[in-house]
């Protein structure tokens, strides 16, 4: 659906060339939710704005639905942009227009008939749960409601792609979760390809299928969210994972236990239905191993349940190693810390 090939973007600042993106290669499949995560200044906003050519790349290809947008003249580019909706961090609503008028705006630009516009606006407001707010103005809405209007407006021309530029970073946690649930629902109902950028790992973990980590204008790590989240390789990725992993407390606990004697500390990862099975308890009973839990969590990565426990095994090295091998044979991932 979307392919970025050898994408470069530089800016001229006081006579100097400042690179923002360097050699981006990215492929996003039809119907998936792809997240791009990075710190401020990493290049993520520039990257997402290159997808619809709000920022024109210095070099490289931007292929959307089989067409290289960089090769189009302005008229054909405008036509292709109608298939790419976009929502923004600060909503960008027309303050002097009602909710209904905001959603109708792109339809009027596309010269649709009044009957078509009214029908589509009503359908979209129902989809985002704002039927009762059609005649209100943005100043009368909460932040979450404003973003719902932005989503409805972005869907007005039946796009194939929805770009989300920090769409939840101006919202409180509860409202963020409701907007993420709405985006996931839209993705499933409409088969829409969604690309979102964020600096919050919680957002990636909640709804994304795959993720790319951007740092210094480069994609430094990418893959399925489960793989990247549970086995982060790049230091930037590890920083983001620590946002939701209580790593400071874990390090302190590990150091304390290591100082107290010859003990084995391991991280055990459960995926899918194994998350809810008593594999750890049964194995410890069978091997006669005494253990304690230093840290643990059970959660979901989009639709997949997972669990991670950091455990301390008491006993001799040989017995602990045998227990670890048994856990691995039973389908758990075990990493000795």
């Amino acid at each position: 659906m979307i392919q970025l090939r050898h994408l470069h973007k530089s800016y001229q600042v006081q006579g100097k060339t400042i690179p923002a993106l360097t050699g981006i290669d990215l492929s996003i499949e039809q119907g998936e939710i792809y997240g791009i995560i990075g710190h401020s200044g990493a290049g993520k906003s520039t990257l997402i704005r290159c997808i619809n050519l709000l920022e024109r790349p210095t070099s490289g290809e931007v292929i959307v639905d089989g067409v290289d947008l960089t090769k189009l003249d302005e008229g054909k580019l405008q036509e292709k942009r109608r298939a790419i909706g976009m929502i923004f961090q600060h909503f960008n609503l027309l303050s002097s227009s009602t909710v209904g008028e905001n959603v109708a705006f792109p339809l009027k630009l596309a010269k649709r008939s009044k009957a078509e516009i009214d029908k589509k606006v009503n359908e979209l407001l129902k989809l985002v749960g704002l039927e009762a707010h059609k005649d209100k103005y943005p100043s009368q809405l909460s932040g979450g409601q404003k973003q719902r209007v932005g989503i409805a407006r972005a869907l007005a021309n039946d796009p194939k792609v929805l770009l989300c530029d920090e769409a939840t970073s101006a919202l409180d946690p509860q409202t963020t979760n409701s907007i993420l649930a709405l985006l996931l629902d839209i993705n499933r109902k409409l088969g829409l390809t969604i690309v979102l950028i964020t600096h919050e790992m919680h957002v990636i973990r909640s709804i994304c299928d795959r993720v790319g980590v951007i740092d210094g204008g480069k994609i430094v790590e990418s893959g399925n969210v489960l793989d990247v989240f549970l086995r982060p390789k790049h230091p930037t990725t590890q920083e983001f994972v620590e946002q939701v992993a209580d790593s400071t407390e874990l390090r302190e606990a590990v150091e304390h236990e290591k100082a107290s004697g010859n003990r084995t500390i391991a991280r055990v990862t459960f995926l899918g239905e194994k998350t809810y099975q008593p594999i750890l308890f049964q194995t410890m009973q069978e091997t006669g191993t005494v253990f304690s839990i230093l840290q643990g969590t059970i959660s979901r990565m989009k639709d997949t349940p997972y669990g991670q426990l950091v455990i301390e095994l008491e006993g001799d090295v040989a017995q602990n190693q045998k227990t670890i091998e048994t856990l691995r044979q039973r389908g758990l991932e075990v990493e000795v810390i």
Side-chain angles (χ1 to χ4, degrees):
M1 167 53 73
I2 300 172
Q3 289 181 304
L4 307 181
R5 296 177 180 170
H6 315 304
L7 199 71
H8 293 260
K9 174 65 181 179
S10 298
Y11 296 98
Q12 293 297 319
V13 181
Q14 297 179 343
K16 294 183 179 179
T17 300
I18 307 297
L21 301 175
T22 307
I24 299 289
D25 287 295
L26 204 58
S27 181
I28 299 170
E29 301 299 324
Q30 165 68 40
E32 75 173 336
I33 303 179
Y34 194 98
I36 299 167
I37 189 168
H39 294 299
S40 296
K44 57 186 185 295
S45 289
T46 301
L47 176 56
I48 201 169
R49 290 167 69 88
C50 280
I51 294 176
N52 60 2
L53 263 62
L54 287 179
E55 292 281 358
R56 186 169 282 274
T58 306
S59 64
E61 298 177 335
V62 179
I63 299 169
V64 179
D65 202 18
V67 177
D68 185 354
L69 301 188
T70 65
K71 302 281 198 301
L72 301 180
D73 61 36
E74 197 59 33
K76 289 184 179 177
L77 177 58
Q78 289 295 339
E79 183 181 332
K80 285 295 181 182
R81 276 188 179 139
R82 291 196 187 105
I84 306 174
M86 190 166 189
I87 58 176
F88 304 89
Q89 177 181 356
H90 297 296
F91 321 127
N92 289 11
L93 302 181
L94 303 169
S95 60
S96 60
S97 299
T98 65
V99 166
E101 290 166 345
N102 267 280
V103 177
F105 183 69
L107 296 166
K108 289 178 179 177
L109 290 179
K111 300 187 182 338
R112 302 283 189 92
S113 70
K114 185 179 185 304
E116 284 181 299
I117 291 173
D118 289 344
K119 182 173 183 290
K120 191 67 176 178
V121 167
N122 290 333
E123 287 175 356
L124 289 170
L125 290 181
K126 183 177 181 181
L127 178 66
V128 301
L130 292 178
E131 308 101 302
H133 302 276
K134 182 178 180 180
D135 297 320
K136 290 183 178 179
Y137 288 88
S139 61
Q140 298 173 283
L141 304 178
S142 68
Q145 289 170 334
K146 289 176 184 177
Q147 194 57 284
R148 287 172 182 266
V149 177
I151 292 170
R153 182 182 59 186
L155 297 176
N157 281 315
D158 299 315
K160 295 181 179 180
V161 175
L162 181 62
L163 307 179
C164 305
D165 188 358
E166 294 276 14
T168 61
S169 59
L171 305 174
D172 63 75
Q174 185 175 355
T175 307
T176 291
N177 289 337
S178 72
I179 293 298
L180 294 177
L182 175 61
L183 290 173
L184 185 57
D185 185 52
I186 288 169
N187 166 259
R188 288 170 170 167
K189 284 181 178 176
L190 305 181
L192 206 60
T193 303
I194 297 178
V195 184
L196 62 84
I197 64 168
T198 183
H199 60 273
E200 299 173 293
M201 197 65 195
H202 164 70
V203 172
I204 299 294
R205 187 177 68 171
S206 297
I207 67 169
C208 293
D209 301 297
R210 293 193 297 140
V211 61
V213 183
I214 188 168
D215 185 56
K218 299 178 181 179
I219 299 294
V220 295
E221 189 164 355
S222 63
N224 293 329
V225 172
L226 267 171
D227 293 335
V228 172
F229 182 83
L230 296 177
R231 291 173 285 276
K233 296 180 176 60
H234 192 273
T236 300
T237 314
Q238 291 166 2
E239 285 180 35
F240 283 116
V241 171
E242 286 177 5
Q243 290 180 354
V244 290
D246 295 328
S247 294
T248 301
E249 291 84 349
L250 174 59
R251 281 195 298 271
E252 290 175 355
V254 169
E255 292 305 316
H256 177 269
E257 293 304 323
K258 280 184 175 179
S260 64
N262 182 23
R263 299 174 180 180
T264 302
I265 299 173
R267 179 183 288 108
V268 184
T269 301
F270 308 76
L271 291 178
E273 290 307 309
K274 288 185 174 66
T275 304
Y276 305 115
Q277 296 171 0
I279 298 172
L280 180 63
F281 175 74
Q282 290 173 347
T283 302
M284 296 304 178
Q285 270 196 324
E286 291 171 12
T287 60
T289 304
V290 177
F291 76 103
S292 56
I293 297 173
L294 302 182
Q295 186 190 70
T297 184
I298 292 178
S299 188
R300 299 185 75 84
M301 202 83 69
K302 195 174 181 180
D303 297 322
T304 306
Y306 77 95
Q308 276 196 329
L309 295 178
V310 177
I311 61 174
E312 175 190 31
L313 304 178
E314 298 181 19
D316 62 61
V317 174
Q319 182 185 11
N320 290 346
Q321 187 58 41
K322 179 182 177 182
T323 301
I324 288 170
E325 288 304 319
T326 303
L327 290 171
R328 287 171 175 162
Q329 290 167 9
R330 293 177 177 179
L332 303 187
E333 294 185 22
V334 186
E335 173 194 3
V336 176
I337 301 176

